[in-house]
């Protein structure tokens, strides 16, 4: 008998590549025409599966990518991804052969890093990180002399220079002022470099919220992560949208076991749930090792047959329990939606994030490696992958 994906896997992630395309075009509509769209696909494309996401992006004309680590960059190249790949994080100088071999772009994270890269005597492409006030990576805006020195290094081919905003998502007056201060100090440095005749290469400072809230900076490129996946970092940000985003990811599992418990019986580790009457409960094979936070124990919901049902007891490493007493005709094998649409009910990742006391970015990037990522369109075809 032929089987669908849903017969084959205990739990899985559905990836809607049409939604991805929609979001990219929507975000691109905020750009001036010469501005480049750099897709941030670090952390396995925020849990969506970096290779498949990047292949689709290549197909729709995106040719600029950012990742966090060397191994993430190599994975993309080994799977045929074309275009620029910028490593945003630190890479040891000893790895520069690989940067060259795979034709990658390395970020220079400070002056000492630049020196160590230059001493390898391997010609590589780099972008220089500038710390304009986040105080994470980069040469500070006061290290003008050191920045200039890096331009004289023979083996470092400087193709860009960038900074990162730390409160561009916040709307308080002090956050807006701080962002403006970061933008001003970054562009002062850029203008000084240009005045002295340096070719800065691509200048960039905006990520998703930088583009949404500060769209008129006229940079050469924007680095877009979370919003490309159709998601805001937190629930409050869903208001005041200037663009329409469609979530790319759904998270599904299924009921594998149903039983009834009597009044006063308890469920799970710690016996944190006690039933007030006879209850019909179901076991769902997904747990905190798959990225479902234990904060959702006795608190979160999932969707079954288009109805919201509560998670009861503590979430285990590989399984969780739900109360299906109020739903008729539930049987083993029925689909459980944790993130996404079922019938008229939609549970968004922002809700899961809020209940897990974190942001969407963390929820998505924590989705475990053992969950298969499946293109939405093949999810219900009659075959096993
Ligand atoms: C992760 C990251 C981004 C992407 O940020 P989003 O808010 O997800 O768009 C951009 N730039 C840098 C330096 C990053 O580390």
């Amino acid at each position: 008998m032929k089987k669908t994906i849903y017969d084959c896997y205990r739990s899985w992630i559905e990836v809607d590549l049409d939604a991805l395309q929609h979001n990219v075009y929507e975000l691109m509509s905020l750009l001036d025409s010469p501005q480049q769209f750099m897709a941030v696909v670090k952390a396995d494309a925020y849990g969506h599966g970096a290779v498949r996401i990047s292949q689709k992006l290549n197909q729709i004309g995106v040719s600029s990518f950012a990742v966090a680590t060397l191994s993430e960059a190599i994975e993309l190249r080994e799977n045929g991804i074309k275009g620029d790949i910028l490593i945003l994080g630190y890479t040891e100088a000893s790895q520069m052969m690989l940067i060259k071999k795979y034709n990658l772009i390395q970020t220079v994270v400070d002056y000492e890093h630049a020196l160590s890269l230059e001493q390898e005597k391997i010609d590589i492409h780099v972008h220089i990180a500038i710390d304009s006030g986040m105080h994470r990576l980069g040469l500070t805006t006061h290290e003008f002399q050191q920045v200039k020195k890096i331009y004289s290094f023979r083996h470092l081919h400087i193709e860009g220079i960038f900074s990162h905003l730390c409160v561009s998502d916040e709307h308080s007056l002090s956050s807006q002022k701080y962002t403006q201060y970061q933008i001003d100090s970054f562009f002062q440095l850029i203008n000084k470099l240009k005045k002295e005749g340096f070719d800065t290469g691509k200048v960039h400072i905006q990520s998703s919220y930088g583009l949404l809230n500060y769209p008129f900076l006229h940079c050469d490129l924007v680095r877009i992560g979370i919003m490309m996946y159709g998601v805001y970092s937190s629930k409050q940000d869903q208001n005041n949208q200037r663009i329409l985003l469609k979530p790319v990811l759904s998270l599904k599992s299924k009921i594998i076991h149903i039983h009834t418990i009597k009044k006063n019986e308890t469920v799970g580790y710690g016996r944190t749930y006690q039933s007030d009457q006879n209850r019909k409960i179901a076991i769902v094979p997904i747990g905190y090792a798959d990225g479902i936070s234990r904060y959702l124990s006795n608190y979160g919901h999932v969707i079954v047959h288009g109805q919201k049902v509560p998670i009861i007891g503590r979430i285990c490493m590989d399984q969780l329990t739900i109360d299906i007493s109020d739903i008729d005709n539930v049987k083993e094998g029925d689909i459980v939606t944790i993130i996404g649409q079922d019938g008229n009910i939609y549970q968004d990742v922002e809700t899961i994030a809020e209940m897990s006391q974190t942001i969407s970015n963390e929820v998505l990037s924590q989705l475990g490696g053992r969950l298969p990522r499946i293109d939405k369109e093949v999810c219900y075809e009659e075959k096993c992958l």
Side-chain angles (χ1 to χ4, degrees):
M1 198 178 77
K2 282 190 179 170
K3 297 202 160 192
T4 63
I5 292 300
Y6 122 84
D7 297 308
C8 303
Y9 295 115
R10 62 191 265 281
S11 303
W12 66 97
I13 287 169
E14 286 180 21
V15 179
D16 183 347
L17 295 173
D18 293 336
L20 177 75
Q21 173 168 342
H22 166 89
N23 296 333
V24 170
Y25 291 163
E26 197 75 1
L27 288 155
M28 278 179 170
S29 75
L30 299 176
L31 303 181
D32 307 333
S33 54
Q35 282 184 306
Q36 201 173 10
F37 184 94
M38 176 179 267
V40 180
V41 294
K42 63 192 179 187
D44 206 19
Y46 293 48
H48 293 64
V51 169
R52 194 66 194 94
I53 291 288
S54 304
Q55 282 168 341
K56 175 70 179 182
L57 290 168
N58 258 178
Q59 271 171 25
I60 63 171
V62 174
S63 61
S64 182
F65 298 89
V67 294
T69 70
L70 176 59
S71 57
E72 289 177 342
I74 292 175
E75 186 194 18
L76 295 186
R77 277 287 188 255
E78 296 212 310
N79 286 281
I81 301 306
K82 304 269 187 299
D84 291 345
I85 302 178
L86 171 64
I87 298 173
L88 295 166
Y90 171 80
T91 308
E92 288 283 341
S94 62
Q95 306 299 303
M96 289 308 115
M97 270 317 292
L98 292 169
I99 296 287
K100 189 178 164 71
K101 176 178 170 195
Y102 288 97
N103 190 22
L104 306 171
I105 308 170
Q106 175 57 43
T107 295
V108 171
V109 309
D110 60 21
Y111 185 68
E112 288 65 37
H113 191 216
L115 270 179
S116 70
L117 300 183
E118 172 72 358
Q119 281 160 6
E120 292 295 312
K121 298 194 166 50
I122 297 171
D123 283 28
I124 54 165
H125 303 290
V126 300
H127 283 207
I128 301 176
I130 299 297
D131 174 10
S132 58
M134 180 161 179
H135 306 312
R136 191 172 65 176
L137 295 184
L139 290 92
T140 71
T141 47
H142 306 292
E143 292 179 286
F144 185 55
Q145 297 308 323
Q146 286 94 322
V147 172
K148 285 202 300 188
K149 261 196 199 152
I150 297 176
Y151 280 89
S152 71
F153 289 177
R154 276 185 49 199
H155 299 286
L156 304 188
H157 302 276
I158 298 161
E159 297 190 335
I161 184 164
F162 72 94
S163 192
H164 196 48
L165 302 169
C166 52
V167 283
S168 62
D169 58 329
E170 291 177 13
H171 297 285
S172 69
L173 193 59
S174 71
S175 292
Q176 288 186 40
K177 274 188 176 158
Y178 197 76
T179 302
Q180 199 55 52
Y181 155 79
Q182 283 195 273
I183 291 167
D184 291 344
S185 15
F186 178 61
F187 279 103
Q188 267 167 29
L189 177 93
I190 299 299
N191 290 335
K192 270 186 353 193
L193 284 168
K194 285 187 170 159
K195 235 186 194 155
E196 297 200 15
F198 292 97
D199 177 5
T200 53
K202 287 172 186 149
V203 174
H204 46 119
I205 192 167
Q206 294 145 297
S207 53
S208 293
Y209 283 91
L211 176 63
L212 200 67
N213 295 330
Y214 300 85
F216 307 114
L217 299 184
H218 307 294
C219 291
D220 298 312
L221 68 78
V222 294
R223 308 182 301 266
I224 304 298
I226 191 71
M227 287 182 192
M228 183 172 73
Y229 306 103
V231 166
Y232 292 87
S233 289
S234 58
K235 229 172 164 40
Q236 302 82 277
D237 306 337
Q238 291 172 322
N239 314 323
N240 299 324
Q241 304 177 9
R242 298 176 45 239
I243 48 175
L244 177 73
L245 299 176
K246 296 183 181 171
V248 175
L249 177 142
S250 302
L251 178 60
K252 308 255 172 111
S253 187
K254 60 188 173 190
I255 288 172
I256 51 145
H257 182 54
I258 296 174
H259 52 138
T260 46
I261 53 169
K262 295 199 193 77
K263 183 176 175 180
N264 292 333
E265 285 190 311
T266 63
V267 171
Y269 288 123
R271 306 182 66 206
T272 59
Y273 173 87
Q274 185 169 31
S275 65
D276 54 352
Q277 60 181 72
N278 287 0
R279 295 255 168 213
K280 189 164 57 162
I281 67 173
I283 307 302
V284 184
I286 190 165
Y288 62 76
D290 300 293
I292 309 296
S293 168
R294 285 176 82 247
Y295 278 118
L296 298 176
S297 302
N298 290 308
Y299 183 41
H301 293 83
V302 299
I303 317 170
V304 177
H305 290 201
Q307 269 176 263
K308 252 174 95 168
V309 300
I311 295 173
I312 59 171
R314 281 204 190 132
I315 290 175
C316 306
M317 186 181 282
D318 319 297
Q319 300 167 80
L320 56 81
T321 309
I322 56 177
D323 179 355
I324 51 168
S325 307
D326 294 338
I327 308 183
D328 299 328
N329 306 322
V330 190
K331 55 187 186 316
E332 287 168 8
D334 287 356
I335 291 190
V336 174
T337 301
I338 299 124
I339 298 170
Q341 185 93 35
D342 179 358
N344 292 325
I345 309 235
Y346 186 83
Q347 175 149 264
D348 53 29
V349 63
E350 289 90 343
T351 301
I352 300 278
E354 188 174 61
M355 294 183 116
S356 308
Q357 307 205 9
T358 184
I359 56 173
S360 309
N361 314 44
E362 183 177 344
V363 171
L364 291 173
S365 61
Q366 286 293 315
L367 293 177
R370 65 188 184 186
L371 295 171
R373 275 76 175 160
I374 316 284
D375 284 7
K376 189 178 178 189
E377 60 219 53
V378 303
C379 263
Y380 300 97
E381 278 176 16
E382 291 208 334
K383 66 177 182 201
C384 252
L385 289 189

